[in-house]
Amino acid sequence: MRLFLRAATALSATALVAAGTLASTARPATAATAPPSAATTGRTAALGPYSVTAYETVNIRTQPNTSSRVFDKILAGQTRHDALCWTHGETIQDHGYTNDVWIGFTEGWASAVYLKGDAYAGLPADAHC
């Protein structure tokens, strides 16, 4: 899987969407898990991939909220290299931090509250989904 993730990061976000490639599984993308792209966001800002590191284990969800399905996680200290952009979602309060920013990966979303860096987990401000 790690080899696949490294190979996937070399592809552009647009190519991933066009090919229907998903980082975690081989199932086809759905509206709930489709990776963000310029085509789906209407934005032309440069989408990743960017690297993010979890300072605490964080769930990867199908939507940017805690009521959506969890299908993966990033372990504390683990770095993922397939973050594409950020969006506003459900506000999360934990460990004295409050933030509504969620990071979009090639598949799924994680709250920036649990990722190292600034409010956008180190992604550029213009990398909005």
Side-chain angles (χ1 to χ4, degrees):
M1 183 171 152
R2 289 186 182 178
L3 179 59
F4 178 75
L5 285 176
R6 280 190 216 126
T9 59
L11 299 174
S12 70
T14 304
L16 287 171
V17 172
T21 304
L22 301 176
S24 298
T25 68
R27 70 182 185 273
T30 65
T33 60
S37 71
T40 60
T41 64
R43 303 219 1 127
T44 57
L47 299 177
Y50 301 101
S51 296
V52 295
T53 302
Y55 80 87
E56 184 172 309
T57 298
V58 59
N59 291 324
I60 304 293
R61 298 178 174 274
T62 57
Q63 294 291 317
N65 58 60
T66 58
S67 60
S68 62
R69 183 176 63 86
V70 173
F71 64 89
D72 202 357
K73 61 185 163 185
I74 306 172
L75 300 176
Q78 181 181 11
T79 299
R80 291 215 17 189
H81 305 285
D82 63 335
L84 300 176
C85 59
W86 62 268
T87 193
H88 294 286
E90 179 182 345
T91 299
I92 304 298
Q93 293 181 322
D94 203 0
H95 301 292
Y97 295 102
T98 301
N99 196 344
D100 71 345
V101 173
W102 289 70
I103 305 303
F105 296 93
T106 52
E107 184 178 9
W109 302 89
S111 170
V113 165
Y114 303 103
L115 302 171
K116 292 182 179 181
D118 59 13
Y120 305 105
L123 273 65
D126 68 348
H128 188 269
C129 300

